[in-house]
């Protein structure tokens, strides 16, 4: 962790006795927020106040045990950090931890924190949760305060969080989620996203589908109906991922471009090519992607009506080996983003459930629900975890 | 004010030197939140922590000068409080201040606070802003944290706020509004909601339309095109108001019913008839209203595309006389709610601008924009205030 300070929480409260870490893009009063980059840290003053998301956890009685590492500028899935080092994935030490919320996921996976705040713009909570074998929630867009948090692509950014234990994740959710945006859903139906499963590696697909054969699941939720998320109007998940790539990266350059151009930090090959790509997206391309995005959101709304949740692989595989170079990882990320884009494009909550293993390494199942259903989605997740274990 | 404590803000920050009041449904650590009711206060413990919306204002350097009065349970537009007394409308002392955020509006109007946090479920910021002659913003639903705030009808509740000065309102907005939900809009077109103007009293309508004849306004935004908000699919504003009445009051009873049934507080004629009405709405009625609500939201999305904002009267008249009994005010509220319901149903931001007077008493102009456009709507508001003054 870049900053190992501790802050006691309130003496009592719903999170009493629990500890948490915060990805180092959440401000804590008096400390410089690094955003994963020594260049960022060197050009920013100590935070004037503590981000509300951190403060509500403290107020609820949780103890902050430190800031957690992340990809530079939260801008990759690999979880590596060329400047600060790469947190070790305790589930598979020779594999990457996944990112960008690598340190948050590892802090929870290794047991040094019960809860960890991350952020999920394009998948940065769901990917490391899947690779480290823990629970991770990307909340409904807007439901966790990002006041005092470094923005990446605001219309995609969410304040996601991790835990090992579902009851702990639910307790954190009860404190963190904006209450007025809760939309009560009684989930009664599960869909299998066939086109998403088709994108995963064969062994990953098989491991997840095997977990879903639990008879207790069928008894409770009936036969799992297969659907395609993509359709004639919105295209395939490849088209969806491309819409996200263009619209999110356009926003990222709007947010980071001025700072990058002013300071010209010497980013390595994990970040530099991405920033360069982002800088070249035109306003027209971004606008066209936004139109596509609205159609995709409508498509997801249509699929998620009537108490329906969707199951899909959280990632295409278990964590890739640490030995892979960035340009060997990029083809993997091109496929992973097809699985993470739907929730990001439509602003939907998605939780990653550690229900499978491939070659002894963890792999998460994605569970996505309608906007505002977060609390009920976690209740459904608890139910599923129990049924799949049975 | 029920509680006149003061809390210093941070020594420096964007709100340095400014003061604020908080409607007494925002928690402040160590103080009992009254929710406008001595019965509520007597049955609730002091708050365990400070609501994030209050905390971010303190962190930004503003000084809290006290809790502000409100209607009991924030459940009326009249601004009266049978238990704690009624704040005096400094613009027209023989008229009601409007509510439910009566004390917040009066604190700003009389100059005892620069900013005041209120809440707007069905119009509780826009109505007192109009009657007291100040600025009031109902933000996009979900953009101001309601963690640590008494819920009324969560899917309608918003953390609105007041100021006299538009630059101050904008500064408060920059601190309070959830940044990830900002959707940038360049406003280029203004619509006049003809069916909304038709609901206002003739002299109110005339005063507002007179203000809008400023030639500078036409030069900047072209001819103001008249539209009807209601349409064949969603019905009239009367139908819209009825959908809101049913769905919001159903939620209110879900939130407050258990407490009311347990404690049976002797509410007077301002609250008791409303609670009784709310308790009788069935789940089926509420569900039908929710379906209607979605259609209305889609109708507003359609109207508010392409950089468009809508103008409508904030209230049907200037503030009614203090001498009117609740059953004389009720027919007025039945009409006012038709003007405030569209933003509430669709979750849209609406600001009330003090641009007109009727019989020397203030009357606000409502300005409504698309979801997430709050910051840009305030920029448009600043522009309009200048053009209308010219």
């Amino acid at each position: 962790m870049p900053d190992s300070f501790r802050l006691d929480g309130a003496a009592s409260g719903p999170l009493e006795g629990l500890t948490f870490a915060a990805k180092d893009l959440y401000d804590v009063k008096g400390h410089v927020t690094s955003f994963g980059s020594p260049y960022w840290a060197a050009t920013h003053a100590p935070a004037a106040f503590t981000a509300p998301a951190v403060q509500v956890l403290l107020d609820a009685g949780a103890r902050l045990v430190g800031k957690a590492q992340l990809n530079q500028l939260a801008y990759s899935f690999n979880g590596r950090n060329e400047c600060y080092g790469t947190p070790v994935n305790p589930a598979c030490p020779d594999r990457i931890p996944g990112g960008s919320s690598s340190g948050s996921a590892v802090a929870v996976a290794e047991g040094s924190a019960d809860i960890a705040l991350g952020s999920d713009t394009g998948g940065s909570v769901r990917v490391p949760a899947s690779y480290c074998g823990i629970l991770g929630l990307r909340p409904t867009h807007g439901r966790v305060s990002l006041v005092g948090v470094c923005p990446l692509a605001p219309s995609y950014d969410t304040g996601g969080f991790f835990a090992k234990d579902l009851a702990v994740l639910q307790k954190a959710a009860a404190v963190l989620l904006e209450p007025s945006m809760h939309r009560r859903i009684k989930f009664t139906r599960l869909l299998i996203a066939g086109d998403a499963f088709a994108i995963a590696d064969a062994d990953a697909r098989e491991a997840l589908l095997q977990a879903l054969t639990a008879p207790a699941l069928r008894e409770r939720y009936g036969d799992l109906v297969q659907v395609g998320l993509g359709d004639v109007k919105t295209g395939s998940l490849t088209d969806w991922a491309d819409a996200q790539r263009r619209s999110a990266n356009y926003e990222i350059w709007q947010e980071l471009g001025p700072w990058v151009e002013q300071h010209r930090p010497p980013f390595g090959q994990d970040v530099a090519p991405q920033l360069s790509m982002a800088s070249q997206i035109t306003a027209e391309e971004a606008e066209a992607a936004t139109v596509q995005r609205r159609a995709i959101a409508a498509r997801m709304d249509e699929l998620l009506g009537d108490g329906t949740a969707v199951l899909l692989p959280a990632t295409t595989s278990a964590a890739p080996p640490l030995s892979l170079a960035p340009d060997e990882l990029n083809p993997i990320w091109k496929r992973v983003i097809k699985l993470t884009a739907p929730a990001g494009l439509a602003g939907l909550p998605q939780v990653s459930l550690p229900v499978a293993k491939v070659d002894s390494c963890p792999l998460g199942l994605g569970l996505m629900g309608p906007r505002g259903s977060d609390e009920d989605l976690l209740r459904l997740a608890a139910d599923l975890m129990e049924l799949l274990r049975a």
Side-chain angles (χ1 to χ4, degrees), chain A:
Chain A
M1 302 194 192
D3 207 347
S4 61
F5 58 89
R6 292 170 168 253
L7 269 182
D8 282 338
S12 67
L15 302 182
E16 194 181 333
L18 297 172
T19 57
F20 76 105
K23 185 174 183 176
D24 198 16
L25 45 61
Y26 287 82
D27 282 348
V28 172
K29 186 176 173 175
H31 296 261
V32 174
T33 301
S34 76
F35 206 177
S37 158
Y39 315 110
W40 186 271
T43 54
H44 287 82
F49 61 90
T50 297
V54 172
Q55 191 61 50
V56 293
L57 292 176
L58 292 168
D59 287 340
R63 186 160 55 93
L64 179 64
V65 293
K67 290 285 198 88
Q69 201 45 268
L70 63 154
N71 276 99
Q72 286 201 64
L73 311 180
Y75 205 178
S76 172
F77 285 160
N78 65 32
R80 290 205 287 227
N81 191 301
E82 292 162 321
C83 301
Y84 293 125
T86 299
V88 177
N89 182 343
C92 291
D94 59 343
R95 309 277 186 115
I96 64 169
S100 66
S101 309
S102 48
S104 301
V106 165
V108 165
E110 74 184 17
S112 56
D114 299 305
I115 300 161
L117 286 171
S119 66
D120 188 313
T121 299
S124 283
V125 161
R126 293 164 287 164
V127 171
S130 176
Y131 291 170
C132 291
I134 59 171
L135 296 157
L137 172 69
R138 174 196 166 89
T140 296
H141 183 256
R143 284 204 72 185
V144 171
S145 171
L146 295 179
V147 171
V149 181
C150 305
L152 189 59
S155 80
Y156 290 89
D157 293 348
T158 62
F161 45 98
F162 302 90
K164 252 186 197 167
D165 182 63
L166 200 39
V168 171
L169 198 71
Q170 287 177 298
K171 277 187 198 175
V175 166
L176 285 165
L177 295 169
E178 169 53 31
S180 69
M181 291 170 79
H182 181 199
R183 190 177 143 217
R184 283 189 183 79
I185 301 287
K186 192 176 157 36
F187 286 106
T188 53
R189 205 165 70 115
L190 296 173
L191 298 178
I192 294 260
D195 49 357
F197 271 89
I199 288 162
D201 288 355
D203 53 0
R205 187 164 61 229
E206 220 165 284
L208 290 172
L209 290 175
Q210 176 59 35
L212 291 173
T213 57
L217 182 67
R218 202 135 315 192
E219 278 163 34
R220 183 83 55 95
Y221 292 97
D223 283 331
L224 306 183
V225 177
Q226 200 184 126
V227 295
L229 301 184
D231 66 356
V232 285
K233 190 169 173 197
T234 61
S236 70
L237 292 182
T238 303
D239 300 315
W240 291 27
D242 197 52
Q244 164 154 327
R245 185 188 63 77
R246 282 175 291 143
S247 74
N249 281 288
Y250 181 78
E251 283 187 31
I252 289 172
W253 188 251
Q254 300 296 110
E255 290 295 335
L256 301 182
W259 175 79
V260 170
E261 306 227 292
Q262 187 187 344
H263 299 285
R264 302 252 162 228
F267 288 123
Q269 59 170 330
D270 274 347
V271 180
Q274 293 210 81
L275 277 171
S276 163
M277 175 273 285
S279 72
Q280 288 160 38
I281 295 167
T282 66
E284 291 67 33
E285 284 179 288
E287 176 52 29
T290 300
V291 171
Q292 163 84 337
R293 184 184 188 183
R294 278 196 284 271
I296 291 165
R299 167 68 181 155
M300 289 305 307
D301 285 350
E302 177 190 38
L303 283 170
L304 291 167
D306 300 325
T308 301
V310 165
L311 296 165
L312 73 173
T315 50
T316 55
S317 67
L322 271 172
S323 58
L324 297 188
D327 60 355
E328 295 173 292
L329 286 169
N330 284 339
I332 300 177
W333 305 146
K334 277 204 172 153
R335 289 165 54 228
V336 169
I337 197 83
K338 297 179 194 179
L339 302 179
T340 55
L345 286 160
L348 303 175
Q350 183 178 325
V351 59
S352 180
L353 304 176
V355 302
K357 292 210 165 184
V358 175
D359 296 337
S360 311
C361 287
L363 170 66
L365 174 71
L367 175 68
M368 182 165 35
R371 248 181 300 285
S373 71
D374 311 62
E375 293 87 337
D376 303 290
L377 194 69
L378 292 183
R379 206 165 299 129
L380 172 63
D383 200 30
L384 291 187
M385 292 294 281
E386 207 180 299
L387 295 174
L388 298 187
R389 238 181 256 125

